[in-house]
Amino acid sequence: MGGGTDVAMHAAGITLMRGDPRLVPAALEISRKTYAKIRQNLFWAFVYNLIGIPLAAFGFLNPVLAGAAMALSSVSVVSNALLLKTWKPKDLEEHR
């Protein structure tokens, strides 16, 4: 049976991978940015489906074009989420 570390990590709201508590603001910042990206992606996916599904259902959109547009929608959501990889903490040099 392991120590209490696993239990503490699962119960914690934030788990720091380094022992520096000054990194907490950076962790909170990236969590806010992640939540904002999730909301952006949900909004754009909802708008796309709100417009695209009725057009396809009423035959105004070629099925091949509708499939390609759905694939493009998925690619745009993933691309938008990947923009989070470019995030850097504001005071990166200060924490090293």
Side-chain angles (χ1 to χ4, degrees):
M1 194 166 178
T5 306
D6 291 336
V7 174
M9 286 176 62
H10 283 83
I14 295 176
T15 302
L16 295 177
M17 300 307 285
R18 295 185 211 135
D20 189 359
R22 293 177 297 172
L23 294 173
V24 171
L28 293 174
E29 182 184 349
I30 189 64
S31 70
R32 280 191 288 271
K33 289 194 175 288
T34 301
Y35 185 69
K37 281 291 178 196
I38 291 169
R39 291 185 61 166
Q40 280 178 5
N41 286 336
L42 285 173
F43 172 78
W44 288 113
F46 180 74
V47 167
Y48 168 80
N49 285 316
L50 191 66
I51 295 169
I53 290 174
L55 288 176
F58 290 115
F60 296 122
L61 199 55
N62 183 333
V64 173
L65 186 60
M70 184 60 90
L72 183 62
S73 171
S74 297
V75 168
S76 69
V77 165
V78 171
S79 299
N80 190 28
L82 285 174
L83 288 174
L84 284 171
K85 290 182 70 117
T86 63
W87 176 82
K88 299 276 189 261
K90 290 181 182 171
D91 302 324
L92 180 64
E93 296 303 317
E94 214 175 271
H95 298 298
R96 289 188 178 199

